[in-house]
Amino acid sequence: MELHLNNYTLHFLKNTKISPYLHKFPNYPHRNPTNIAAVRVSAAEDTAALVAAAEQPGGKMVVELVGAFNELTERMDNSVLSTSSSRLLFIALKLCIPILQSLPLAPDGRSPLSKALSVAVILADLQMDAEVISTGLLREVLEAGAISIYDVRDRIGTSTAHLLHESLRVKHMSLKVEVLDDENAMALRKFCLTYYDVRALVLDLAIKLDMMRHLDYLPRYRQQMISLEVMKLNAPLAHAIGTNLLSLELEDLSFRYLFPYSYLYLDAWLRSHESGNKPLIDICKEQLLQSLKSDPLLMQMVSNIFVEGRYKSRYSTMKKLLRDGRKLEEVSDILGLRVVLTPLDESDIGEKACYRAREVVQSLWEEIPSRSKDYILRPKANGYKSLHMAVDTRENGGTRPLMEIQIRTAEMDILASGGAASHALYKGGVTDPEEARHLKTIMMAAAELAALRLRDFPSANPKGLETDKRGRVFRLLDKNGDGKISIDELMEVMEELGAPGDDAREMMQLLDSNSDGFLSSDEFDLFQNQVEFIRNLEDRDDHYQTLLNDKLQMANDTGLIQLYS
């Protein structure tokens, strides 16, 4: 398919981050501006005018609104994405985008809009509700002094304003102690879990993670001060709340800044076992899943097999090395695979399936018997059941870390999650089991209350029950529900974004391919495809810039830079 670009479109392209890519196309129009050029960049035909719609300020804000809304909602599960949630998120984006685009760059060199969206993406990936994600967007606007909490209350809602206020309280929690030693850090974590809204804690942790990912601009002593606070306070707090993805990355990033040489040593050792560009854990995961599914006896017992892989964090690995005095190759859980089996019936066939899966693993890799444990035959005191085994995955006499494999049924996995939550609270500084159960109840109640407040109520309009995420933004713009977007509806959105009405008319002319004065769902979907194309190019541009910066820092003593294979 060909994408035809006219000169008007090219003016926009040259003034965006897409322009560095244009010279790669064979018929680059810049060489002959009087002609229409054919550029093979998209599967959508004749959609170049959609890109040109973003040339005016209003058009750029609509592009950002549609792109940000789609990116966030596509990451959110339908269980947390109701029509009410979509509307709340859409309103928050309309309020934030024009303000954030007008603010100066953040100290780390990013635009405030990019910074706010990065936090929102982390929250969406954690499957937080729209209220928390909206609050993450609004925090950046509020801290810039562009709006007040009272404005948020009037324009968004009381509950969002309350959560925003709560998140500001959490922000200053470290000021409650003069010295952040282990004892004070533990007491402060316990205080946070007891007296703060758990969703405000998650929001603060997401902001901390985003900050840690962009810490290079600070002087070294500031990097270490922030990392020490994150290591002692925020990472264990993330464990306590149960957001393990946050806690592991916070630990590793803190470790990287506090002890850079130790981190690089561990990281280089783990990467040395990768095959090409494919992580070792993914290779083992695919190998095991294929072997399990190829076993006829096992497949007679189960309806589904799920294999999950993970690396032990660099920080946890270093702690184990220092505590136990082992060599790296002797640590049995640097690599980890979890096999979850869904048995065909509720009898003891599930346990038999676990033992059969263990036999498949034993035929695939050499087991280390001294590291294997049978928690199905002898469950833990809290009811935990699973098979644990350590295996040697080395090939052709090479060196590889040992790998821990856990095998359990789906029911055992659900029970293990409860145990993991209690273990997480323990790591967060809560040691009393009764107190841990009480705090877990509070956390669950807060999440359930948010879900109840934002859930959809029964409606006679079937559109409200649709689950097509790409169609949500169209339905939000189509305010009268007639299945098309009029110029008045488009102008209303433009005015809410602070743009003039002329921008709406120009955008309508560019997007309205059949010139009927309305945007159909098909016409708007073409626009959404092009928005996604633009954002993907921008992300790739940022990714390549990061790779280049990393490569420049890896220059050897001769000043030469190793090329990528």
Side-chain angles (χ1 to χ4, degrees):
M1 293 292 182
E2 293 183 336
L3 179 68
H4 299 286
L5 302 182
N6 57 30
N7 296 325
Y8 186 53
T9 306
L10 291 169
H11 178 71
F12 164 71
L13 290 173
K14 293 173 189 174
N15 289 280
T16 67
K17 297 174 79 171
I18 299 176
S19 55
Y21 297 90
L22 288 178
H23 73 279
K24 298 180 180 180
F25 303 126
N27 297 315
Y28 181 40
H30 172 232
R31 298 172 185 165
N32 189 0
T34 60
N35 298 327
I36 293 178
V39 183
R40 299 179 182 275
V41 293
S42 173
E45 189 173 12
D46 297 325
T47 59
L50 303 183
V51 184
E55 184 173 51
Q56 298 299 328
K60 288 180 180 178
M61 283 190 281
V62 170
V63 166
E64 199 60 63
L65 173 65
V66 172
F69 180 86
N70 282 340
E71 180 176 8
L72 293 174
T73 54
E74 284 171 6
R75 291 171 180 268
M76 297 167 68
D77 190 81
N78 281 325
S79 62
V80 295
L81 187 61
S82 63
T83 302
S84 305
S85 297
S86 301
R87 189 175 297 112
L88 172 62
L89 188 58
F90 195 68
I91 293 171
L93 283 167
K94 283 193 296 184
L95 174 60
C96 294
I97 285 174
I99 298 174
L100 292 172
Q101 284 190 334
S102 66
L103 295 175
L105 294 179
D108 60 10
R110 291 182 294 164
S111 72
L113 179 57
S114 174
K115 187 177 176 182
L117 288 176
S118 294
V119 173
V121 164
I122 293 172
L123 294 168
D125 285 341
L126 290 171
Q127 298 307 312
M128 300 306 295
D129 60 74
E131 213 164 65
V132 182
I133 298 173
S134 299
T135 305
L137 293 165
L138 292 162
R139 263 283 293 266
E140 193 71 22
V141 180
L142 184 73
E143 293 184 337
I147 60 171
S148 68
I149 287 184
Y150 300 105
D151 294 328
V152 174
R153 180 195 63 187
D154 296 338
R155 300 178 66 174
I156 305 293
T158 304
S159 56
T160 305
H162 170 75
L163 185 57
L164 187 58
H165 174 262
E166 192 77 359
S167 73
L168 293 177
R169 289 179 61 218
V170 174
K171 177 185 177 182
H172 302 294
M173 63 181 173
S174 61
L175 301 178
K176 294 182 180 292
V177 294
E178 293 182 3
V179 179
L180 196 63
D181 56 18
D182 289 343
E183 186 177 348
N184 284 336
M186 182 177 292
L188 195 53
R189 293 195 301 268
K190 185 174 177 180
F191 176 84
C192 291
L193 289 167
T194 308
Y195 293 105
Y196 290 139
D197 187 326
V198 65
R199 297 181 304 149
L201 294 177
V202 174
L203 170 57
D204 185 72
L205 291 169
I207 293 172
K208 283 289 194 304
L209 177 56
D210 178 70
M211 176 188 68
M212 291 297 294
R213 288 174 175 176
H214 302 86
L215 211 58
D216 288 339
Y217 75 98
L218 288 175
R220 177 149 173 70
Y221 80 94
R222 285 285 297 143
Q223 293 174 352
Q224 290 187 316
M225 288 176 62
I226 292 171
S227 297
L228 184 60
E229 180 179 318
V230 168
M231 181 75 80
K232 283 184 170 289
L233 182 61
N234 302 110
L237 190 59
H239 271 300
I241 295 173
T243 51
N244 291 330
L245 292 177
L246 283 183
S247 59
L248 293 176
E249 190 172 354
L250 285 171
E251 284 177 346
D252 275 4
L253 288 171
S254 300
F255 177 33
R256 174 186 161 196
Y257 284 109
L258 289 169
F259 306 101
Y261 295 109
S262 298
Y263 178 89
L264 288 173
Y265 169 72
L266 270 178
D267 188 65
W269 186 81
L270 285 171
R271 291 182 186 278
S272 69
H273 302 295
E274 294 181 358
S275 177
N277 294 322
K278 197 164 189 177
L280 177 58
I281 193 69
D282 289 343
I283 296 172
C284 295
K285 175 183 171 180
E286 292 175 5
Q287 197 174 354
L288 177 57
L289 183 59
Q290 183 177 357
S291 297
L292 292 171
K293 288 187 173 181
S294 300
D295 184 72
L297 184 57
L298 179 62
M299 294 310 295
Q300 290 176 9
M301 303 180 190
V302 300
S303 59
N304 186 52
I305 301 174
F306 174 73
V307 179
E308 179 184 22
R310 64 110 183 101
Y311 273 112
K312 191 176 186 69
S313 72
R314 272 58 169 171
Y315 174 67
S316 296
T317 302
M318 179 56 72
K319 281 202 305 182
K320 180 161 285 193
L321 292 173
L322 294 174
R323 185 179 65 240
D324 300 343
R326 299 181 193 171
K327 297 179 181 179
L328 269 170
E329 56 270 18
E330 295 175 347
V331 179
S332 62
D333 59 348
I334 289 180
L335 300 175
L337 293 178
R338 177 178 298 160
V339 178
V340 181
L341 308 172
T342 304
L344 289 171
D345 56 53
E346 299 299 325
S347 65
D348 60 353
I349 195 173
E351 294 184 1
K352 292 179 180 178
C354 290
Y355 287 112
R356 179 57 190 171
R358 184 173 68 174
E359 292 174 2
V360 173
V361 173
Q362 290 168 337
S363 67
L364 191 60
W365 296 301
E366 180 184 353
E367 184 180 7
I368 312 297
S370 61
R371 304 284 176 85
S372 297
K373 297 176 182 177
D374 188 342
Y375 292 117
I376 293 179
L377 183 62
R378 290 178 292 276
K380 289 186 177 182
N382 62 2
Y384 175 84
K385 286 185 175 184
S386 183
L387 294 177
H388 288 202
M389 55 193 306
V391 297
D392 187 345
T393 62
R394 288 181 296 180
E395 294 178 348
N396 302 323
T399 60
R400 275 187 181 181
L402 298 179
M403 181 164 62
E404 180 186 71
I405 299 178
Q406 299 176 357
I407 304 171
R408 60 183 65 155
T409 64
E411 183 181 1
M412 294 176 190
D413 192 52
I414 293 172
L415 292 173
S417 299
S422 300
H423 176 64
L425 284 165
Y426 175 80
K427 293 191 75 171
V430 181
T431 55
D432 179 17
E434 190 61 36
E435 187 177 15
R437 281 192 290 270
H438 174 65
L439 289 174
K440 187 177 178 183
T441 302
I442 293 175
M443 293 181 216
M444 294 176 64
E448 288 174 2
L449 179 61
L452 180 65
R453 185 164 55 245
L454 294 172
R455 74 176 181 179
D456 286 330
F457 292 97
S459 169
N461 180 9
K463 289 184 179 179
L465 302 177
E466 293 179 19
T467 57
D468 173 27
K469 294 182 179 180
R470 288 296 298 271
R472 289 181 185 273
V473 67
F474 178 82
R475 294 193 295 275
L476 287 165
L477 291 170
D478 175 23
K479 295 192 173 182
N480 63 8
D482 63 354
K484 53 191 177 183
I485 301 172
S486 66
I487 183 63
D488 292 335
E489 289 168 331
L490 191 57
M491 286 180 68
E492 185 177 345
V493 173
M494 288 282 196
E495 288 169 0
E496 289 173 338
L497 292 169
D502 289 341
D503 286 5
R505 294 189 185 91
E506 185 167 353
M507 190 171 191
M508 177 65 78
Q509 291 175 357
L510 289 166
L511 303 185
D512 181 15
S513 58
N514 62 3
S515 302
D516 65 350
F518 296 92
L519 294 182
S520 67
S521 59
D522 290 339
E523 289 169 333
F524 192 78
D525 196 50
L526 285 175
F527 173 62
Q528 293 195 80
N529 289 336
Q530 198 62 30
V531 169
E532 187 175 348
F533 170 73
I534 294 172
R535 291 171 68 86
N536 286 340
L537 278 181
E538 291 180 351
D539 290 342
R540 196 173 304 167
D541 191 20
D542 291 336
H543 176 63
Y544 288 153
Q545 183 64 48
T546 301
L547 287 177
L548 177 60
N549 290 338
D550 292 343
K551 205 64 181 175
L552 290 174
Q553 293 177 5
M554 293 167 58
N556 59 27
D557 295 336
T558 65
L560 298 176
I561 301 173
Q562 294 182 348
L563 296 177
Y564 287 100
S565 59

